[in-house]
Amino acid sequence: MPAHRHRLRLRLLAALVGLRPAAAGFSTAPSRGCPLHAALAHRGAPAAATLALYSRIRAAASPTPYTFSLLLASLASSSHSPRSPSPAAGRCDRLAAAGLAHAQALKCGALAHTVVTNCLLKLYCALGLLPDARRVFDTTGAAALDAVSWNTMVSGYGKSGDLEAAREVFARMPERSLVSWSAMIDAFVRVEQFGEALRVFDRMAEEGFRPDAIVLVSVLKACAHLGAVERGRWVHKYLEAQGFGRRPGNVMLETALVDMYCKCGCMEEAWRVFDGVRSHDVVLWNAMIGGLAMNGHGKRAIELFRRMLETGFVPNESTFIVVLCACTHTGCVDEGKEIFRSMRDHGVEPRREHYGCLADLLGRAGLMEEAEAVLLDMPMEPHASQWGALMSSCLMHNNIVVGKRVGKKLIELEPDDGGRYVLLFNLYAVNGLWEDAKAVRRMMEERGAKKETGLSFIEWNGLVHEFRSGDTRHPQTRLIYALLEDMEQRLQLIGYVKDTSQVLMDMDDEEEKSSTLSYHSERLALAFGILNIPHDVPIRIVKNLRVCRDCHVHAKLVSKLYQREIIVRDRHRFHLFRDGVCSCNDYW
């Protein structure tokens, strides 16, 4: 055990030293009106201060179940003590306090009371100590558990990302409430299984439960990530029919609606919701600014940021991330630098993410050396994602000098991510450095690194269809491939030539590369959309990776040839293809 943790444990134990032995039973003296209990009910105090209060209560009278419920709830929301040398030491404070509180509750027989057991479960879940929570849950008799106990475990597992455990507890529940369903839907959203989240929501509705605001926020998040705008519109109509918009304090729901419409590329609907909100908060402003930036309206996003400041709202860390992204997507280098410099004027200290945005802005504008200097000179260590953004810029601008350094750094940071090797291989290959390219390829094979699978999603008639490169699982596979073949022939007649320079490096044959490009996941989704979606309805596709250069050219030409409006959301931004032109102006 580290020395500082041992000292903290001793200090916390000292708070309980010298107390008289626990009585055999609980005191019958009134406690709810006691000033010490009122103080214990306050949330957010450091763990040591909470234990000190408890020790004073113990000195005056035997604790009651009410005492322990307050103690455990207070510890669950305890804050970092200013006396702790670091956040890690502060967490040790809370862990030690939780163990001591559990021991006291056990010693006094308080865990025979369901409300105390539930507070202990919530405390362990709040601290991320799921094994401890499960031991309490499993050793407590069934008669002492209630719906809150079961819901706490489902929610705790969900928030920790342990989906299998959450499902197991959910399946065993003797009776489910709306809270149970809400916790399960949230669990799927947290691990990004958005399609499954919507299926659980459908099951909940079939069993007669009416969703509340918390459930609908989770559903809107799932719709946003899947690009399931029709399902999102259904939620919007439901909210209006149930009068949610007329109730005060629903800005969280309205923000989720704005975010959903923005992430589905429906900016007019996002604006209508935003303008109709009675009481804006900074999170809502951030959602709208970020949505404009992602959809290629960088100038309008920056204007909205200025309007936010004029209205008197104080920007937070997230505000500066989204407005710097707006500058990145529009190439506003000088304005981005000015906004970055102004952060401290608004009381916001630049963090790793802000430096990363600045470096991305510079890199996309072709200022690779300056971008590299930002990452090297920032006061904290850059994440791999920030180096990855710079590497993409090096590939875009074919900067081999900076790209070699950054590519090697990325492989060093994430040796198991095959995508890092592919970028460096492609940079070498484009510049004819075949020996270096082969060395990267050998290294990737020896380490068994794998590239993330590209997936594309498209919604139609309430169903979300998933495609991956070369997919043959879909019922309409034959029709889709036949259309793609016809599409390619027609595009070649107007001068389309495939760009195979960025195709996966494990293919040496140009014909094989060309074939692979033809069946990228977004092309399969696009063909499905043309086959099924009416001509006057935009085709909306969501991709989990960045759209490759050739697929970007392909989508522009298809939009002109077939006279279709195509909206593609990739990992970084939206692309609105119309009449052979993309809203990103080929800057992404």
Side-chain angles (χ1 to χ4, degrees):
M1 179 186 298
H4 73 271
R5 184 170 177 178
H6 182 65
R7 288 196 298 272
L8 288 168
R9 280 186 176 273
L10 290 176
R11 177 156 55 86
L12 290 166
L13 284 164
L16 299 175
V17 170
L19 298 182
R20 53 196 179 82
F26 288 115
S27 168
T28 56
S31 59
R32 291 179 184 266
C34 169
L36 291 175
H37 279 82
L40 193 60
H42 288 300
R43 302 289 181 260
T50 299
L51 283 182
L53 267 174
Y54 169 73
S55 68
R56 291 174 63 192
I57 292 170
R58 280 288 310 270
S62 295
T64 67
Y66 178 64
T67 306
F68 282 107
S69 66
L70 291 179
L71 170 64
L72 295 168
S74 182
L75 289 174
S77 64
S78 60
S79 62
H80 171 64
S81 172
R83 294 184 180 181
S84 296
S86 69
R91 175 170 167 76
C92 289
D93 262 340
R94 297 178 71 197
L95 294 175
L100 288 167
H102 185 176
Q104 285 289 304
L106 192 64
K107 186 176 183 180
C108 295
L111 294 180
H113 297 261
T114 303
V115 66
V116 179
T117 299
N118 289 341
C119 287
L120 181 59
L121 290 174
K122 289 178 181 176
L123 170 58
Y124 278 138
C125 288
L127 292 174
L129 301 174
L130 273 300
D132 297 84
R134 187 59 183 260
R135 273 192 292 274
V136 172
F137 183 81
D138 288 341
T139 55
T140 300
L145 297 174
D146 62 6
V148 175
S149 317
W150 289 88
N151 291 338
T152 299
M153 291 306 301
V154 174
S155 179
Y157 279 128
K159 288 176 180 175
S160 72
D162 191 343
L163 184 60
E164 288 309 308
R167 294 176 82 160
E168 179 259 328
V169 175
F170 183 76
R172 287 176 48 211
M173 291 184 76
E175 187 176 352
R176 296 183 186 125
S177 65
L178 180 60
V179 176
S180 318
W181 288 100
S182 177
M184 201 64 233
I185 293 168
D186 178 66
F188 280 108
V189 170
R190 285 175 182 270
V191 297
E192 299 185 358
Q193 291 194 23
F194 304 112
E196 193 61 34
L198 294 183
R199 282 187 280 275
V200 173
F201 175 71
D202 290 339
R203 283 177 53 203
M204 182 194 88
E206 288 168 5
E207 295 198 16
F209 289 93
R210 294 177 63 182
D212 61 4
I214 295 172
V215 171
L216 292 173
V217 165
S218 294
V219 170
L220 286 169
K221 286 179 182 176
C223 292
H225 284 278
L226 290 172
V229 67
E230 293 307 322
R231 179 66 74 96
R233 285 182 179 131
W234 178 89
V235 172
H236 192 178
K237 290 174 185 174
Y238 178 85
L239 293 173
E240 290 178 337
Q242 298 298 317
F244 278 89
R246 295 187 292 275
R247 300 175 195 173
N250 270 329
V251 69
M252 181 175 67
L253 256 177
E254 291 159 326
T255 302
L257 266 177
V258 168
D259 185 59
M260 183 275 297
Y261 279 130
C262 287
K263 286 179 177 172
C264 291
C266 303
M267 295 311 297
E268 289 183 8
E269 288 163 286
W271 270 118
R272 278 198 292 273
V273 175
F274 179 80
D275 288 337
V277 176
R278 299 177 187 179
S279 180
H280 292 61
D281 67 3
V282 68
V283 181
L284 179 62
W285 283 98
N286 292 349
M288 195 67 222
I289 295 169
L292 286 167
M294 180 182 260
N295 280 274
H297 306 294
K299 298 283 188 185
R300 292 177 70 186
I302 296 167
E303 289 170 7
L304 188 62
F305 170 66
R306 304 291 185 202
R307 183 174 133 198
M308 172 188 170
L309 298 180
E310 291 167 3
T311 311
F313 282 89
V314 178
N316 60 17
E317 292 175 355
S318 297
T319 312
F320 283 102
I321 290 174
V322 293
V323 77
L324 285 170
C325 284
C327 296
T328 298
H329 290 317
T330 49
C332 298
V333 175
D334 292 337
E335 193 147 19
K337 287 180 175 179
E338 178 198 332
I339 288 170
F340 182 85
R341 285 192 293 265
S342 74
M343 288 179 64
R344 290 188 177 89
D345 297 337
H346 296 284
V348 178
E349 188 68 25
R351 301 184 64 171
R352 180 183 285 108
E353 294 78 8
H354 302 104
Y355 285 100
C357 287
L358 179 61
D360 193 24
L361 166 65
L362 296 167
R364 292 190 193 215
L367 304 171
M368 256 67 70
E369 288 79 6
E370 193 174 343
E372 184 184 26
V374 168
L375 294 181
L376 291 172
D377 296 341
M378 58 195 276
M380 63 287 291
E381 193 66 27
H383 280 165
S385 60
Q386 282 137 11
W387 286 113
L390 179 55
M391 185 62 189
S392 295
S393 295
C394 290
L395 195 57
M396 181 195 309
H397 295 283
N398 195 23
N399 188 313
I400 186 70
V401 177
V402 177
K404 284 172 65 174
R405 292 195 295 266
V406 175
K408 290 175 181 177
K409 177 75 174 177
L410 273 170
I411 291 172
E412 179 186 323
L413 289 172
E414 294 187 335
D416 296 327
D417 185 347
R420 304 310 189 190
Y421 298 84
V422 171
L423 287 174
L424 184 56
F425 176 94
N426 286 338
L427 186 63
Y428 283 143
V430 166
N431 287 277
L433 302 173
W434 294 109
E435 290 305 314
D436 292 316
K438 288 176 183 176
V440 171
R441 180 174 181 167
R442 278 195 303 273
M443 192 189 309
M444 180 179 176
E445 290 171 350
E446 288 167 2
R447 295 178 178 179
K450 302 294 183 184
K451 188 177 184 293
E452 184 179 356
T453 301
L455 299 173
S456 291
F457 306 90
I458 183 169
E459 182 197 30
W460 180 239
N461 279 341
L463 294 176
V464 176
H465 301 260
E466 177 189 288
F467 295 92
R468 63 186 64 188
S469 183
D471 213 336
T472 57
R473 299 170 300 163
H474 198 275
Q476 295 185 22
T477 292
R478 287 192 177 185
L479 291 172
I480 289 169
Y481 276 71
L483 177 58
L484 284 173
E485 188 175 336
D486 178 67
M487 190 184 292
E488 192 159 307
Q489 290 173 358
R490 295 176 65 183
L491 291 177
Q492 286 172 355
L493 292 174
I494 59 173
Y496 167 61
V497 177
K498 290 178 183 174
D499 178 358
T500 61
S501 64
Q502 293 186 346
V503 179
L504 276 176
M505 64 183 184
D506 55 353
M507 297 174 190
D508 296 314
D509 184 76
E510 280 300 314
E511 188 174 334
E512 187 181 1
K513 289 182 180 181
S514 180
S515 175
T516 299
L517 275 176
S518 298
Y519 306 122
H520 272 187
S521 63
E522 59 267 53
R523 297 196 189 191
L524 298 175
L526 176 56
F528 171 86
I530 291 174
L531 285 169
N532 294 277
I533 298 175
H535 197 273
D536 58 343
V537 177
I539 296 172
R540 302 175 189 278
I541 298 168
V542 174
K543 184 171 184 183
N544 66 329
L545 303 178
R546 184 177 183 268
V547 173
C548 78
R549 195 158 54 206
D550 188 74
C551 286
H552 191 267
V553 172
H554 180 270
K556 286 197 297 183
L557 294 174
V558 169
S559 72
K560 185 175 181 64
L561 186 63
Y562 287 81
Q563 287 299 293
R564 297 300 299 258
E565 184 173 298
I566 304 164
I567 301 170
V568 179
R569 189 185 88 210
D570 70 5
R571 177 170 281 180
H572 297 293
R573 66 173 297 160
F574 271 86
H575 302 268
L576 169 57
F577 301 96
R578 186 190 290 137
D579 294 324
V581 177
C582 180
S583 59
C584 76
N585 295 316
D586 300 334
Y587 189 87
W588 85 103

